[in-house]
Amino acid sequence: MSISSRFAVGIHILALIDLNKETASSSEFIAGSVNTNAAVIRKIMGMLKKAGLIEVQPGVAGAKLSRELSEITLFDIYKAVNVVEENELFSIHDKPHPDCVVGKNIQSTIEPIFMAAQSAMEKVFQNLTLEDIVKDIEAKESVQ
Amino acid sequence: MSISSRFAVGIHILALIDLNKETASSSEFIAGSVNTNAAVIRKIMGMLKKAGLIEVQPGVAGAKLSRELSEITLFDIYKAVNVVEENELFSIHDKPHPDCVVGKNIQSTIEPIFMAAQSAMEKVFQNLTLEDIVKDIEAKESVQ
DNA sequence: ACATGATGTAATTGTTTTGGTTACAAGTAA
DNA sequence: TTACTTGTAACCAAAACAATTACATCATGT
């Protein structure tokens, strides 16, 4: 099991749009950097657009960020690309036997724990922004 | 995307073995409580056995916990049933273009963040034991 | 107006994972 | 021996992913 790479690609796309501001980042160009098909990029960019993170116009090459780098958290991207449903990171077997002490109670016992675990994970993304990503990339670049 | 219910079922199995100590919990019996096939239960119990959490003997019905309830964390179970690989909760697109500023650095920038998020999630399970689960179930039971 | 090139989106495909199912070898015990 | 259990292997349908192809639609420059 693994969470879709749409999330990583989404971060890649947004960072690239910013670091490549001077020229238009077409889906073809981004696809070259990500190393995938342009249609895949357009699909993910569609999600980012729908979430209000970027502005794109049909027919015109490129996209721009809707907000400041520091105003876009990784959690925003995570939600935009829809890689994990709300409180459904962990699946629970359904219809455990209601006549059994464990079967009757296991779901309500486990659910809040799974929710807490998912929240702990998501909080990491809430505390990081695209600015952190871009600055980290720039720092690595300046060293080389 | 969702993490396999093997984890939830693993917790269910162990809690049931404990709460049903007085009689032997055969795979058939457990399957009834979980509401699935006995072969599925045996497969998961094989993982729990391999991880040293339970003791089972071929041919003889039932299983017993290898350690005290308080000595078995949810993280132990999580690892035992192998639902998420080490540091691979999030997948990252591979072979981004090395001639691109973003493509060259994105992986090393994102990886530690993804690891931190996964760790935050796993820590929740490290801080909970089967004892917490069983006590919670017993508490619910005593109210009814 | 028209050609060019871009985005938006649907349909298809191969691969992998999941959970369920059947079957059966091998062990245990009355 | 008989009955029951665990341990596995094999197989299947369904779902998710990422890649790919195709094409409608839009924008722009000549």
Side-chain angles (χ1 to χ4, degrees):
Chain A
M1 193 301 305
S2 203
I3 291 174
S4 168
S5 66
R6 277 201 305 278
F7 185 24
V9 173
I11 297 171
H12 187 142
I13 291 172
L14 296 175
L16 184 54
I17 289 173
D18 181 77
L19 285 162
N20 190 49
K21 302 198 251 296
E22 63 278 2
T23 72
S25 295
S26 69
S27 62
E28 201 69 50
F29 168 76
I30 298 176
S33 172
V34 171
N35 184 35
T36 183
N37 193 286
V40 171
I41 297 298
R42 287 199 288 271
K43 200 182 304 180
I44 297 176
M45 286 181 75
M47 292 176 167
L48 298 173
K49 180 183 184 179
K50 195 169 162 193
L53 302 183
I54 57 176
E55 283 159 27
V56 198
Q57 263 198 320
V60 34
K64 68 182 283 284
L65 303 185
S66 303
R67 306 184 226 142
E68 295 294 313
L69 283 181
S70 61
E71 297 299 315
I72 299 178
T73 69
L74 295 195
F75 185 69
D76 293 331
I77 307 172
Y78 166 90
K79 294 300 279 185
V81 296
N82 196 35
V83 283
V84 176
E85 294 299 314
E86 186 100 1
N87 286 328
E88 289 189 6
L89 175 57
F90 297 90
S91 36
I92 302 184
H93 52 297
D94 56 20
K95 303 198 190 67
H97 204 293
D99 292 351
C100 169
V101 185
V102 177
K104 192 194 316 179
N105 299 296
I106 192 72
Q107 290 179 323
S108 66
T109 293
I110 283 182
E111 237 172 76
I113 297 174
F114 283 178
M115 282 174 49
Q118 181 171 348
S119 292
M121 179 266 277
E122 291 174 348
K123 182 161 290 184
V124 171
F125 299 129
Q126 283 168 338
N127 290 328
L128 286 168
T129 71
L130 255 190
E131 187 177 30
D132 299 314
I133 300 292
V134 170
K135 281 190 171 170
D136 190 67
I137 292 175
E138 285 172 335
K140 283 174 182 163
E141 203 56 23
S142 70
V143 171
Q144 291 160 3
Chain B
M1 192 300 306
S2 203
I3 290 174
S4 169
S5 66
R6 278 201 304 279
F7 185 24
V9 173
I11 297 171
H12 187 142
I13 292 172
L14 296 175
L16 184 54
I17 289 174
D18 181 76
L19 285 163
N20 191 50
K21 303 197 250 298
E22 61 278 3
T23 74
S25 296
S26 68
S27 62
E28 201 67 50
F29 168 76
I30 298 176
S33 172
V34 171
N35 185 33
T36 182
N37 192 287
V40 171
I41 298 297
R42 288 199 287 273
K43 200 182 303 179
I44 298 176
M45 286 181 76
M47 293 177 167
L48 298 173
K49 180 184 184 178
K50 195 170 162 191
L53 301 183
I54 57 175
E55 284 159 27
V56 199
Q57 264 197 319
V60 34
K64 68 182 282 284
L65 303 186
S66 303
R67 304 184 228 144
E68 294 293 314
L69 282 180
S70 62
E71 297 299 315
I72 299 179
T73 68
L74 295 194
F75 185 69
D76 293 330
I77 306 172
Y78 167 91
K79 295 299 278 185
V81 297
N82 196 34
V83 282
V84 176
E85 295 298 314
E86 185 99 3
N87 286 327
E88 289 190 7
L89 175 58
F90 298 89
S91 37
I92 303 184
H93 53 297
D94 56 19
K95 303 199 189 65
H97 205 294
D99 292 353
C100 168
V101 185
V102 177
K104 192 194 316 178
N105 299 297
I106 192 74
Q107 288 179 322
S108 65
T109 294
I110 283 182
E111 237 172 77
I113 296 173
F114 282 180
M115 283 173 49
Q118 181 171 348
S119 291
M121 179 266 276
E122 292 174 349
K123 183 160 289 185
V124 171
F125 298 130
Q126 284 168 339
N127 290 328
L128 287 168
T129 71
L130 256 189
E131 188 177 28
D132 299 315
I133 300 291
V134 169
K135 282 191 172 169
D136 192 66
I137 291 174
E138 285 173 335
K140 283 174 181 162
E141 202 56 21
S142 70
V143 171
Q144 290 160 2

